[in-house]
Amino acid sequence: MHSSGAGVDGARGVLAVDSTAPGAAPRGLDAFRRGWETQIGDDVFQLPVFSPDTIGDFRVKGNVAKVHGAAIADLHAVSATRTADVPGGDQDLVAMYVVQRGAWTLGGPPGCGEQTVPAGQFLVRHVGRLTAFETSAHLTAKFLVLPPGELKPLLGNRVITGPVDSAEIRLLTALTDMIHTTVADLGPAGVEATHGALIELAKAVAKGRFDDVEPRLAPALTQAAKDLADRRLADPELSPALLARELNVSVRTLHRAFAAVGEQVATYIRNRRLQEARLALTAPSGRLSISELAAHWQFADSSHFTRTFKKHYGQTPTEYARSAGAASPSPNRHLPGHGPAESV
C-alpha cells in the first residue's frame, strides 16, 4: 500500500493509493484520506465519513489528478465501500460517475430516493451537500469532481444519465486518461488549457453534444478515435468514416483534429495494423502465414501487405521473421475459408 503525490502547486496534484496488497486494507482508508487531503485538498471535495465495516476492509487502488478546482479519480475497488448514514456537510460542485464494472449507488437530496449507476452507465449531477453512497465490490469507475461555475446553470436540478460508450463520454475518458499521464509535468499554461478542455467536455456531456470546432478538444478527439480504432483494428469496416460516425463528428472534423496533432487517420490505422502484424510474426507459437496476416489485418492481399510492411520496416515480413528468429509455422495450417498457408 502506498500514497504518493507529485507536482503539487495548488493548481494541480497527483495521488496514487493501493490498499489491495495483502495486509494493507486496515490502513487503506487512512492512507487514501491523508493523500487526498494533502495532494488534492478539501477545497475540491470533502471526503465523507465511512462506515466501520469499510474502515476495516478498504481494498481500493486509485489514481487521482487535480487540475485547478477539478479532480479526476480512476478507482478499482476490490471491497465494497459505504459511507455513514448521515454524511453531513455542504458542497457546491458537479459530480460525474462513469462506471465500467460493478455499481455505484448514490443517496439523493432530501425527499428523493437513491440512484444506482450500473456498469456501462454514467451519471452527472450538481451536488449541494454531502449525501450517502455505497459502491459494490469489484468496482471499476471514474469519479469526477468539477467546479460548478459553467456547469451548474446547464444542469439545474437535472440528473443526466446515459451509456459510457456515448461519443461525449468517450472523448471525456480519452482526455482524463491523458491528464493522468501528463498533469505532473504540465506548466501553468498547460494546466489552464487542460482545465478548459475538461470543462468544455463536461459541458458537452450535459448538453449531449460538443463544440467540434473547439481547438482545445482536438487532442481528446484524436485520442478517443485512436482508442476506438485500436479496439477494432481487425474490423474490415474500420475507416475514418466509421470512427467519425461512432464519435458523432463529421469526417472533416476528425481529419482536422488529427491534423492539429500532426497525424492522419488512415495512416494511424495502417501503422497500427502493421505493428500488430509485426508482433504476430515473432509470436512464439501459432504464428500465422503471410496470407493469413494480410487477410486478418485487412490488407488487399499478401503482395500489398509485403510491400507496405517493407516500406515501413525496411524488410519484408519473411525477412523480418527470419531475422527475429521466429519459428516457422506448420505448412498445413490455414484459417477457415483460406487456401493453404504460405510458408514465411
Side-chain angles (χ1 to χ4, degrees):
M1 182 272 297
H2 70 279
S3 173
S4 63
V8 179
D9 57 11
R12 59 181 174 161
V14 179
L15 164 66
V17 172
D18 184 358
S19 62
T20 59
R27 304 186 308 277
L29 179 56
D30 289 341
F32 189 87
R33 184 178 297 278
R34 184 169 57 251
W36 185 283
E37 292 173 352
T38 58
Q39 309 301 339
I40 307 303
D42 281 347
D43 59 316
V44 176
F45 176 72
Q46 179 185 348
L47 290 177
V49 175
F50 285 86
S51 64
D53 55 335
T54 291
I55 294 172
D57 185 26
F58 191 82
R59 289 171 291 146
V60 175
K61 184 175 182 179
N63 290 291
V64 187
K66 173 187 177 181
V67 185
H68 282 314
I72 307 154
D74 278 348
L75 302 173
H76 304 274
V78 176
S79 61
T81 67
R82 185 178 302 104
T83 61
D85 290 338
V86 186
D90 293 331
Q91 297 273 263
D92 185 18
L93 54 87
V94 169
M96 186 180 303
Y97 310 82
V98 182
V99 180
Q100 285 94 26
R101 184 174 67 161
W104 198 316
T105 300
L106 309 168
C112 298
E114 293 181 339
Q115 290 180 299
T116 296
V117 190
Q121 294 287 306
F122 76 87
L123 180 148
V124 58
R125 66 179 184 176
H126 173 255
V127 177
R129 63 184 297 275
L130 284 175
T131 57
F133 69 81
E134 61 181 89
T135 65
S136 68
H138 306 294
L139 173 85
T140 299
K142 284 183 181 290
F143 171 52
L144 283 77
V145 178
L146 302 165
E150 297 181 63
L151 296 168
K152 184 177 177 180
L154 287 175
L155 291 169
N157 294 323
R158 294 185 304 151
V159 174
I160 297 175
T161 61
V164 298
D165 62 354
S166 68
E168 294 77 24
I169 291 294
R170 281 174 168 163
L171 292 173
L172 185 67
T173 297
L175 177 63
T176 58
D177 289 344
M178 288 190 288
I179 291 173
H180 279 294
T181 303
T182 62
V183 69
D185 300 319
L186 291 175
V191 172
E192 187 69 31
T194 298
H195 180 264
L198 182 63
I199 297 303
E200 284 298 318
L201 279 177
K203 287 162 62 178
V205 172
K207 294 185 292 185
R209 57 182 174 81
F210 71 97
D211 183 358
D212 61 4
V213 299
E214 169 57 62
R216 290 179 297 183
L217 302 186
L221 176 55
T222 302
Q223 189 59 52
K226 289 179 177 180
D227 293 343
L228 181 57
D230 287 347
R231 293 194 294 270
R232 302 184 65 166
L233 281 176
D235 186 346
E237 300 299 320
L238 179 60
S239 66
L242 180 144
L243 295 176
R245 186 167 61 252
E246 291 286 333
L247 295 171
N248 198 28
V249 299
S250 68
V251 175
R252 181 181 178 185
T253 293
L254 184 62
H255 283 307
R256 188 168 58 235
F258 269 75
V261 297
E263 296 186 79
Q264 295 181 341
V265 187
T267 300
Y268 177 80
I269 294 172
R270 182 197 64 208
N271 289 348
R272 283 291 292 115
R273 283 171 165 170
L274 286 172
Q275 290 170 9
E276 293 298 325
R278 181 174 63 88
L279 290 174
L281 284 167
T282 59
S285 61
R287 184 160 50 85
L288 301 180
S289 70
I290 298 299
S291 61
E292 290 171 336
L293 284 172
H296 184 76
W297 296 115
Q298 306 306 316
F299 291 90
D301 52 43
S302 58
S303 297
H304 177 231
F305 170 58
T306 297
R307 289 194 304 270
T308 307
F309 190 97
K310 184 174 183 179
K311 183 177 180 180
H312 192 75
Y313 291 111
Q315 293 178 300
T316 67
T318 299
E319 291 167 344
Y320 180 85
R322 287 173 178 165
S323 66
S328 298
S330 168
N332 295 321
R333 187 180 181 281
H334 62 275
L335 295 175
H338 289 264
E342 299 173 19
S343 176
V344 174

